[in-house]
Amino acid sequence: MRYFKLTIEYDGSDFSGWQVQPDRRTVQGELYRAFGELSRGEIKITGAGRTDAGVHATGQVASVRVETDLSAGAIHRAVAAKLPADILVKQTEEVPPAFNARFDARSRRYDYIFMMKETSLWRGRFLPVGSGIDVHGMRKETRGLVGLHDFTPFASSGGPSGSKRCRIIRAELIEARPLLILSVTADRFLYNMMRSIAGTILRVGRGKGPGIKEILESGNRAEAGPTLPPHALYLVEVTY
Amino acid sequence: MRYFKLTIEYDGSDFSGWQVQPDRRTVQGELYRAFGELSRGEIKITGAGRTDAGVHATGQVASVRVETDLSAGAIHRAVAAKLPADILVKQTEEVPPAFNARFDARSRRYDYIFMMKETSLWRGRFLPVGSGIDVHGMRKETRGLVGLHDFTPFASSGGPSGSKRCRIIRAELIEARPLLILSVTADRFLYNMMRSIAGTILRVGRGKGPGIKEILESGNRAEAGPTLPPHALYLVEVTY
């Protein structure tokens, strides 16, 4: 048995998300297929973040257990040749057997990218929001995310039960006109949490609705903003 | 009769190009449909550049003749509501009847965008070329384009007959890592000329094939580089 850590970029547009599902095209499913042709025995692939349908990644991480004699470099080249064009393994490293991409992750960073003008050309990559939004107000809200909070109001039903406490390590609103990037690093993210946070902060940018702090204190899901579409969300980095 | 000048952005991915064709989805076809619902009589729409299937535009210009009493502002809003999400009219101005977007254009600017790293995420927008290319050599070739030349070697068969002389007004290779933008402004472009120029310059960047000057002097189509794919080409600006 050999153990590898993969750093992966993908275009989420044509995937039913990360997680393998019968009869659906998923990123994990494509990786299973590619590694299946290289392994003499059973394979196991674990991703750090189970991104939804349409969500992109520039720094997803997966741990892979595979029965092979190939080196990391040979695995890297062989898998690259077998993967479709919308998945790119950026790095393949050999790791100790105990490494688990999901449970060993210390933090994950997601970026939600707004575009401050109308666009026909980039609508599948960024969320067009027009130019008349209050970036200053949005930045204030973004800063208010940092710390340990119960994110129940920002978790979609359908996620697992259990604690909804997440520690936000860093939260920034980066202005790179015409792009506006909401970048959040946390120890964990609840189901749809990042898209719901983005929806709340955008609503503030439009001068409407309660802010993050107020919603966290209320504990009320109905207070949170809309869950924004997946195509402007990127899993950017996982740290260990 | 009223006459308007439109400045148009579109995502070329799902169009069979600019020009209206029976049973094909085209940009001009969608504009005819949208204006058709506003006009009491016959419409005429002329584009400055007849972009191919897959080619994008951020600054296409069209002239429109339409029978209506609506102001430019009202036309602008009404057409926006009728167009699909992959076409955006950025500006609508009333112009004199004599204005013709195609024949009055003094120059057109096309950008061909390379991406200097492997990518799964941006492959539908830029052409991934890896990082090991000779940018300096490519820049030298790009400069050699400027001036009045017979571009026969860079014209695909299938274009109209007649003079193949084009005046290149400006030609630049803009480094915006990881992007590398080949930006060319000319009084006219022959069929597939920009994609063939880009293929020749990229080939030089890989240390192969003859340069632009040599090919122009030879007059031989077989000397030119490959016609690169359309999805990395943008019609950026038309000047009058």
Side-chain angles (χ1 to χ4, degrees), chain A residues 9 11 119-121 123 125, chain B residues 9 11 120-121 123 125:
Chain A
E9 177 190 282
D11 176 349
T119 179
S120 60
L121 194 45
R123 74 199 187 294
R125 290 281 178 258
Chain B
E9 177 190 282
D11 176 349
S120 60
L121 193 45
R123 72 197 190 296
R125 290 281 178 257

Side-chain angles (χ1 to χ4, degrees), chain A residues 36-157:
Chain A
E37 300 178 30
L38 298 172
S39 182
R40 289 189 303 262
E42 218 190 321
I43 319 153
K44 193 173 174 197
I45 302 177
T46 306
R50 284 169 295 177
T51 54
D52 267 339
V55 175
H56 312 295
T58 57
Q60 170 74 286
V61 174
S63 43
V64 183
R65 191 190 71 193
V66 52
E67 208 161 312
T68 181
D69 298 321
L70 296 173
S71 68
I75 285 272
H76 187 80
R77 288 184 295 275
V79 167
K82 291 175 197 304
L83 285 174
D86 47 0
I87 305 179
L88 172 70
V89 175
K90 295 163 82 175
Q91 199 173 26
T92 305
E93 302 158 86
E94 189 148 10
V95 287
F99 177 74
N100 183 300
R102 183 169 173 213
F103 296 110
D104 293 346
R106 279 172 41 223
S107 71
R108 293 154 179 88
R109 172 183 160 195
Y110 280 93
D111 286 1
Y112 199 93
I113 313 188
F114 302 109
M115 188 168 193
M116 289 184 286
K117 61 175 192 180
E118 281 192 277
T119 179
S120 60
L121 194 45
W122 302 103
R123 74 199 187 294
R125 290 281 178 258
F126 313 125
L127 188 76
V129 296
S131 57
I133 55 172
D134 171 15
V135 175
H136 181 75
M138 290 170 76
R139 179 164 296 127
K140 225 179 97 190
E141 284 308 314
T142 303
R143 286 203 199 104
L145 285 166
V146 176
L148 183 66
H149 307 288
D150 182 331
F151 277 93
T152 300
F154 296 97
S156 284
S157 56

Side-chain angles (χ1 to χ4, degrees), chain B residues 37-95:
Chain B
E37 300 179 30
L38 299 173
S39 182
R40 289 189 304 262
E42 217 191 322
I43 318 153
K44 193 174 175 196
I45 301 177
T46 306
R50 282 169 297 178
T51 55
D52 266 339
V55 175
H56 312 295
T58 58
Q60 169 75 285
V61 174
S63 44
V64 183
R65 191 191 70 194
V66 50
E67 208 161 313
T68 181
D69 299 321
L70 296 173
S71 68
I75 285 271
H76 187 79
R77 286 185 296 275
V79 167
K82 291 175 196 305
L83 284 174
D86 46 0
I87 305 179
L88 173 70
V89 175
K90 296 162 83 177
Q91 201 173 24
T92 304
E93 302 158 87
E94 190 149 10
V95 286

Side-chain angles (χ1 to χ4, degrees), chain B residues 3-239:
Chain B
Y3 300 83
F4 298 97
K5 176 189 174 196
L6 314 179
T7 308
I8 307 166
E9 177 190 282
Y10 48 84
D11 176 349
S13 311
D14 297 333
F15 290 108
S16 299
W18 164 266
Q19 198 164 15
V20 73
Q21 297 174 57
D23 304 324
R24 292 290 189 90
R25 187 169 186 268
T26 68
V27 181
Q28 194 186 26
E30 291 294 322
L31 286 167
Y32 267 115
R33 208 183 41 68
F35 275 95
E37 300 179 30
L38 299 173
S39 182
R40 289 189 304 262
E42 217 191 322
I43 318 153
K44 193 174 175 196
I45 301 177
T46 306
R50 282 169 297 178
T51 55
D52 266 339
V55 175
H56 312 295
T58 58
Q60 169 75 285
V61 174
S63 44
V64 183
R65 191 191 70 194
V66 50
E67 208 161 313
T68 181
D69 299 321
L70 296 173
S71 68
I75 285 271
H76 187 79
R77 286 185 296 275
V79 167
K82 291 175 196 305
L83 284 174
D86 46 0
I87 305 179
L88 173 70
V89 175
K90 296 162 83 177
Q91 201 173 24
T92 304
E93 302 158 87
E94 190 149 10
V95 286
F99 177 74
N100 182 300
R102 183 168 172 214
F103 295 111
D104 293 345
R106 279 173 39 224
S107 71
R108 293 155 179 88
R109 172 182 160 196
Y110 280 93
D111 286 1
Y112 198 94
I113 312 189
F114 303 109
M115 188 170 192
M116 288 184 287
K117 61 175 191 180
E118 281 192 277
T119 179
S120 60
L121 193 45
W122 302 103
R123 72 197 190 296
R125 290 281 178 257
F126 313 124
L127 187 77
V129 295
S131 57
I133 55 171
D134 171 16
V135 175
H136 181 75
M138 291 169 74
R139 179 164 295 126
K140 225 178 98 190
E141 283 308 315
T142 302
R143 286 203 200 104
L145 284 167
V146 176
L148 182 65
H149 308 288
D150 182 330
F151 277 93
T152 300
F154 297 97
S156 283
S157 56
S161 59
S163 165
K164 301 280 191 285
R165 290 170 78 81
C166 309
R167 185 179 300 278
I168 309 289
I169 297 158
R170 229 186 50 162
E172 284 181 293
L173 192 71
I174 303 160
E175 224 175 319
R177 289 191 174 256
L179 302 182
L180 187 65
I181 306 168
L182 174 67
S183 182
V184 179
T185 305
D187 59 351
R188 61 194 285 245
F189 286 85
L190 309 174
Y191 185 55
N192 276 345
M193 174 172 141
M194 184 64 184
R195 289 159 59 189
S196 164
I197 287 174
T200 304
I201 289 178
L202 177 62
R203 195 174 62 182
V204 168
R206 289 182 169 146
K208 283 177 269 178
I212 298 284
K213 232 176 194 116
E214 197 178 323
I215 299 167
L216 285 172
E217 279 164 16
S218 78
N220 184 358
R221 174 79 190 108
E223 298 272 294
T227 300
L228 297 185
H231 67 259
L233 182 61
Y234 297 75
L235 171 52
V236 173
E237 199 182 5
V238 185
T239 56

